[in-house]
């Protein structure tokens, strides 16, 4: 079981990020929680300090902004916080046709899902290399292996995350640093509300039995990290579906995705 001096979790104010904080706390000397809603981070920090007696730092940061990421790095460095664990979890989606999407939202999604994740790796890797140890968990998605109409840009950002993580894992092997890409299917978090373009507009038709709990996603992600797995698809149904998809020829995948009913309503 891997132990950490300091773990940085992005998007720790809700959903999977909060769950990572709760499940990793017992293995860490200190945790740094990052998101925009610092009040939420403070509440989570209080309960972690009370339950686990560990050092918890909360840093408000809009990760879509490069200058905020640099400030996060310099604040942590000035306080002697050099993470040997980085959970690149913050992410968002956008449900609906691409042609009438709000460009500001699409742009923020690309900055958050791809640029921020890449930038945090770039900022914190030198100190991991100096320490001769490190773990990076990049939260991708099952969408990374599917071109999804009405979810096109989101799926493409996650294809980037999975590809980047696979290549980085090979580059970093000689430094004793592991990279694991986690590819969840649907999970009940705030993700759906943020991705909806109007309140109550969500993707319909996703069967409830396909959902995996936050706790299970994070438990399997951490288990994957412990065994240096390159990729984790949490939940057996998701793992089975991913294996099936990976065997399909692209022509068959195109046929399935174009004959599938359009899912966004509202
Ligand atoms: N839920 C799913 O079905 C599902 C499936 C596959 C993959 N994923 C991936 O799992 C990851 C976690 O998502 P989730 O389901 O836990 O969603 P969530 O409940 O909406 O949580 C997203 C987290 O990201 C933070 N965040 C959003 N924008 C940010 C910004 N500009 N700067 C800093 N932090 C920001 C949010 O905090 P603030 O709002 O406080 O900033 C929140 O803590 C994402 O990468 C998502 O793509 C989710």
């Amino acid at each position: 079981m891997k132990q950490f001096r300091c773990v940085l979790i992005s998007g720790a104010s809700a959903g999977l990020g909060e769950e990572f904080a709760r499940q990793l706390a017992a293995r860490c000397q200190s945790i740094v929680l990052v998101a925009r809603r610092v009040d939420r981070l403070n509440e989570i920090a209080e309960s972690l300090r009370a339950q686990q007696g560990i050092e918890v730092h909360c840093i408000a940061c809009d990760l879509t902004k490069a200058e905020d990421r640099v400030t996060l790095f310099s604040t942590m460095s000035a306080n002697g916080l050099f993470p040997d664990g980085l959970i690149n979890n913050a992410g968002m989606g956008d449900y609906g046709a691409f042609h009438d999407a709000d460009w500001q939202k699409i742009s923020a999604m690309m900055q958050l899902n791809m640029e921020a994740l890449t930038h945090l790796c770039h900022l914190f890797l030198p100190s991991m290399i100096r320490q001769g140890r490190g773990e990076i968990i990049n939260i991708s998605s099952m969408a990374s292996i599917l071109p999804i109409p009405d979810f096109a840009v989101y799926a493409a950002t996650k294809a980037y995350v999975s590809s980047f993580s696979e290549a980085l894992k090979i580059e970093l092997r000689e430094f004793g640093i592991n990279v694991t890409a986690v590819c969840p299917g649907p999970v009940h978090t705030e993700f759906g509300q943020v991705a909806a373009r109007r309140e109550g507009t969500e993707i319909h038709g996703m069967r409830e039995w396909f959902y995996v709990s936050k706790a299970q996603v994070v438990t399997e992600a951490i288990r994957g990290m412990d065994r240096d797995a390159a990729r984790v698809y949490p939940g057996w149904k998701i793992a089975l579906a991913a294996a099936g998809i990976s065997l399909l020829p692209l022509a068959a995948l195109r046929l399935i995705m174009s004959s599938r009913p359009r899912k966004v309503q509202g």
Side-chain angles (χ1 to χ4, degrees), residues 50-128:
Q51 286 162 19
Q52 308 282 349
I54 59 163
E55 194 182 307
V56 187
H57 304 263
C58 300
I59 304 183
C61 178
D62 182 346
L63 288 166
T64 61
K65 298 182 178 152
E67 62 273 21
D68 274 30
R69 295 175 220 137
V70 172
T71 305
L72 166 69
F73 172 73
S74 40
T75 306
M76 286 180 60
S77 303
N79 287 289
L81 295 167
F82 298 102
D84 52 357
L86 170 61
I87 315 296
N88 258 319
N89 163 79
M92 62 178 282
D94 177 51
Y95 296 145
F98 173 71
H99 69 88
D100 58 5
D102 169 15
W103 179 251
Q104 297 306 323
K105 188 175 180 186
I106 293 282
S107 173
M109 179 168 59
M110 294 194 290
Q111 280 157 15
L112 182 65
N113 296 6
M114 297 188 291
E115 194 181 303
L117 175 140
T118 312
H119 197 183
L120 292 188
C121 288
H122 195 254
L123 287 167
F124 290 104
L125 265 173
S127 72
M128 285 189 187

Side-chain angles (χ1 to χ4, degrees), residues 222-244:
I222 293 172
R223 208 180 288 147
M225 172 200 74
D226 276 335
R227 55 168 209 282
D228 291 346
R231 215 179 280 206
V232 177
Y233 291 93
W236 69 267
K237 291 169 195 161
I238 299 298
L240 198 64

Side-chain angles (χ1 to χ4, degrees), residues 125-145:
L125 265 173
S127 72
M128 285 189 187
I129 290 171
R130 276 197 302 278
Q131 293 177 65
R133 51 181 270 131
E135 292 294 329
I136 298 175
I137 294 183
N138 287 334
I139 306 302
S140 180
S141 168
M142 191 185 172
S144 67
I145 55 169

Side-chain angles (χ1 to χ4, degrees), residues 11 13 16 36-37 61-63 89 154 158 185 187 189-190:
S13 63
L16 295 177
R36 291 165 303 178
R37 289 170 293 178
C61 178
D62 182 346
L63 288 166
N89 163 79
Y154 176 77
K158 293 301 185 176
V187 188
T189 63
E190 294 174 10

